[in-house]
Amino acid sequence: MQLKRENLSPTKVKLTITTDQKVLDDTKQHVLGELGATVKVPGFRAGKAPAKMLEKQLDQNVLQAEVLEHAVNRSYAGAVQQEKLRPIAPPQISITKFVPFTTLEFVAELETVGDIKLADYKKIKLAPAKVSITAKDVDAVLADLLSRAAEREGVKRAAKTGDEATIDFKGVDAKTKEAIAGADGQGYPLILGSNSFIPGFEDNIIGMKVDEEKAFTLTFPKDYGVASLQNRKVTFTVTVKKLEALTEPKLDDAFAAKVGPFKTLADLKKDVKSQLTIERERQAKQAFENELLETLAAKSTIALPDSLLDEEIERMEDEEKRNLAYRGQTWQEHLDEEKVTAEEHHEKQRPVAELRVKAGLVLSEVAEKEQLTVTPEELEVRLQLLKGQYTDAAMQTELDNPDNRRDIMNRILAEKAIAKLTEYAAKASKAKA
């Protein structure tokens, strides 16, 4: 195969490919074998006729078209592998010369990930956050357990701290009176004094009675999780539907035995601390790996096609739309709250999308530089573990799908690359200390 490469841009490549005779001969024999299985040649069983006799029976236009398509695909794949390209979409193919079965020349233009300049990942100094569980953390879990186990008794008096009030509520913009998505609820159980709502909300419920309605205006905190609600004045209308006094059990050995296989309260506290430690360590490990990967991606340089970034942005926005729909808010309402157009929102996501795409690519580059591989045995072990988790027959069959097997293998390879980065980060941090 003769190959000429021309870089039209950092992310667009033009390949001029001349296929050699051996590829054309092999491709022709392959196509004859495929077509021969369905063509009847007098005196021979299907698929058993000699190639020359079979060729005479075939429509030459069909044969030439099939050979052309197969030869182009095979030669293009070889060229991409030879040039170590990372195409992001099918190429645009132009046949410039084709003499059936003897000469084939074509041009392939393709978008590809450009050059990757990987930062020195062996020198990134980063360590996971240290995890510590305090007595206050354990007490918070125990308080939640006591609250869940509390006896509830309906009361007709005014609500007070410690009661559980079941409420209907609705929030509207204090100025425009427009409804705010996600600021309403029906039959919501709220323990007064739990501080689970924004400051001031529960204070306004205290003193209310069953079937009483009350309206009050609050300002959302400036650091509230939903950006569109930060510093926003909202008028809530609340109706108390049910009010119950809570009588919590005594926190002692008997309570510990009731909530689990514990002989003493000390055993329960020890288990709570252990579970909290496991969860916090998992969170710390995930946060560390994300930061490590983002640091490497930010320090590395990769020429990325705009179309690849646009696809990632679309995935991000689709996920955001699903979350909004779950909260009962439309996409347009969200854009209006953010005071941006759809195009402006799209562009705002570009830096994050670029970091995400780069993160995946630098992981692949690390795996290649470190010569990491996944053995067939490792893949089979992971597949068996997944099949143990998903007992549904259809899901187990899906796991054996070649595309899914390839995805799982890539996931294992990514895990190995992350582990290698973690190893280097630990050495770099230790050397710094």
Side-chain angles (χ1 to χ4, degrees), residues 38-85:
T38 59
V39 175
K40 292 183 179 180
V41 178
F44 295 92
R45 288 181 296 168
K48 299 298 182 180
K52 289 185 178 180
M53 295 184 65
L54 175 62
E55 185 175 350
K56 292 179 181 179
Q57 296 291 319
L58 293 172
D59 183 321
Q60 292 302 299
N61 290 329
V62 172
L63 177 61
Q64 291 175 23
E66 288 289 325
V67 170
L68 177 61
E69 181 181 354
H70 281 68
V72 166
N73 290 340
R74 179 176 174 182
S75 299
Y76 169 73
V80 166
Q81 184 176 12
Q82 180 177 319
E83 293 297 312
K84 297 182 178 179
L85 297 173

Side-chain angles (χ1 to χ4, degrees), residues 218-230:
L218 298 173
T219 301
F220 274 76
K222 62 181 180 180
D223 59 349
Y224 192 69
V226 179
S228 61
L229 291 176
Q230 292 172 356

Side-chain angles (χ1 to χ4, degrees), residues 61 65 77 86 94 96 209 230-231 253 261 278 286 330 334 340 354 364 384:
N61 290 329
R86 295 180 175 87
S94 301
T96 53
K209 295 182 178 181
Q230 292 172 356
N231 288 320
D253 292 347
I278 292 171
Q286 184 65 57
T330 68
H334 174 66
V340 295
E354 182 175 357
S364 297
Q384 291 306 315

